[in-house]
Amino acid sequence: PEAPPPPAGTRTPRVLLVEDNADYRKVLRYLLASHGYAVTEAADGADGLKAARAQPPDLALLDFEMPRMNGYELLLELRRRDETRKLPVVFLTGAAGRRHLKDLSLDVALFLDKPIMNAKVLEAVAGLLGAPPLPHGAPEPEPELAREPEPAPEPEPAFEENAEPDGADLLIEEQKKDHEEELAGLDVLANDSPIVNRINKILVQAVELGASDVHIEPQEKAILVRVRVDGTLRLLCRLPIALHTQVAARIKIMSNLIITERRRPQDGQVRAVIKGLKIEFRVSTIPSLYGEKVVMRILGGVKLKEHLEELQLSPRDLQVCAKALQSPHGLLLVTGPTGSGKSTTLYTMVRQLNQPDVNIMTAEDPVEYELAGITQVPVRANIGVTFEAVLRSFLRQDPDIMLVGEIRDLETAEIAVKAAITGHLVLSTLHTNSAPASVMRLTHMGLAPYQVADSLKLVVAQRLVRRICPECRAPAPATDEAVRIIGEAHRAKLAKASAGRGCAACRNSGYRGRMPLFEVMDVSTPELRALILSSASLDRLTKQAQAEGMRTLSDAALDAVAEGETTVDEARDIILSD
């Protein structure tokens, strides 16, 4: 029999349904509407917030993991507004975060784990709102499971070239924790949540400034947001300390970390497209006195060099590097501390080698830049995908050229050297202070001197120093004290030093951008190989390399000072470390 019409004057309860899966949303909408409830639906948290403000509902059914604003952030926004502060909320927890969602002490009426029976949904809604009479002529739905359909493949997001800064400049790609690590493109800037917008603007500003890191540091009375630009930290903004929990939670949500874990450090990552560049933020959280400090390392924002000439090598160093890259086999190393530009140099070399007739494979932790036509393998030590394991697999993949992100241990060094000796060109990095010191490092790892002498072709040591702003550069000869510390023998070059006065172009810092300094050792002469075979000291290796034309990092720094490219203060540490 048909259901009687509702009594005149009876108000139909309204349910706000916020679910990003269109098929699942359609099932729930039909189910609720067929049982007499009015339904307002939204495909993401930001649209759900707008719908709640336009027409306050009597109940909200929220999915947890959604684009632009997830269910947790939407709930926080609803609780801030007087008209929705007491709104009953039911969470549909089909996301990876449902394991810890209940530990957040949220004001939530009920949690329903997907898949959800039709009867369970109706029971939950009726228990909170009461069961209205069925509308006239409404069909009774079949008693089937309201299961979440398989998600359809997302189309590739389109980008507008001339988008406004607060528009579609930031496309966050939140990660799904499965074997493929599928990424969904999400435009999150156009958002009603002030926290979401603020975090997004911080990331966009950091990339626009060319920052390498973002530091979010809770202090006693404020949150300091600092960015590392040209190797130096500078204050970007301050946020109220009351927002720290929400700021930390937002970043954890973006990087798929556990929101409720505040006692232990966590690591994650966020992928995004900003200003047309693919960016990856490596996220690290650590508990501190006033809350969790968050540091986000920015990878991939720098435009890669197309040719070796763009690396600013001297004519001799350029010739040596070009010759080494033409070798059919051998080991090529780039050395230096973290943040010295090793990756840029390595990728430039790989791009120079990338031709249709060669098979190039890379093992990286992480993959900083995506290169077309090259097989790039991310290292995941937590599941056994180490540099050693990947390199062993590479040898069965018929490679011509291999790039190893870093040689960290004897096992990786042995495989890299074996590959270099047996007909492969291998590129990698080491953490040493100079090019000759790389020889000592490899032998101290456990490699035999003959293995190093037989495989090593080239070592490039490098540093980055801040470049004097060309707009406000002025002569600034080194003081007598600086000459005394650095050495009287260098007085002539130090007398030609310059410095930046500070202007609008360099934000009154006196510097604009950074420049590389190189120390290039060509390991091809019989004399140098004989010294390696005899386990000669570092001093003897350095003197022989200098005799063959190598310019040390110290000399490169002094030349940069004399040419007015950098200041005495920037070059001093490099000069004194020699």
Side-chain angles (χ1 to χ4, degrees), residues 488-497 562:
E488 187 67 34
H490 306 304
R491 179 179 287 276
K493 289 185 177 181
L494 295 175
K496 301 177 182 179

Side-chain angles (χ1 to χ4, degrees), residues 462-482:
Q462 68 180 81
R463 300 288 190 277
L464 290 175
V465 293
R466 288 187 290 176
R467 190 190 298 272
I468 299 173
C469 174
E471 303 295 329
C472 60
R473 179 168 49 202
T479 64
D480 290 339
E481 177 67 13

Side-chain angles (χ1 to χ4, degrees), residues 162 176 225 304 403 547:
N162 299 317
K176 308 297 182 182
V225 180
L304 290 178
L403 184 149

Side-chain angles (χ1 to χ4, degrees), residues 432-458:
T432 60
N433 291 326
S434 68
S438 299
V439 175
M440 315 303 292
R441 174 80 172 124
L442 291 173
T443 54
H444 288 166
M445 277 185 178
L447 290 177
Y450 77 87
Q451 291 178 305
V452 178
D454 199 18
S455 61
L456 195 59
K457 297 285 186 182
L458 174 76

Side-chain angles (χ1 to χ4, degrees), residues 98-177:
R98 67 184 172 209
R99 296 184 301 273
H100 60 271
L101 188 59
K102 297 180 182 181
D103 297 331
L104 288 170
S105 300
L106 302 173
D107 183 14
V108 175
L110 195 62
F111 293 90
L112 297 178
D113 290 342
K114 298 178 182 178
I116 312 169
M117 293 285 292
N118 288 357
K120 189 71 173 177
V121 175
L122 294 174
E123 178 186 349
V125 175
L128 294 167
L129 295 181
L134 287 172
H136 183 72
E140 180 73 25
E142 294 296 323
E144 297 177 356
L145 291 177
R147 294 189 181 274
E148 185 171 13
E150 292 295 322
E154 293 289 337
E156 188 70 22
F159 305 106
E160 299 181 13
E161 292 184 0
N162 299 317
E164 293 296 322
D166 290 340
D169 286 337
L170 176 60
L171 182 96
I172 293 293
E173 297 178 343
E174 298 201 39
Q175 301 171 47
K176 308 297 182 182
K177 287 286 187 179

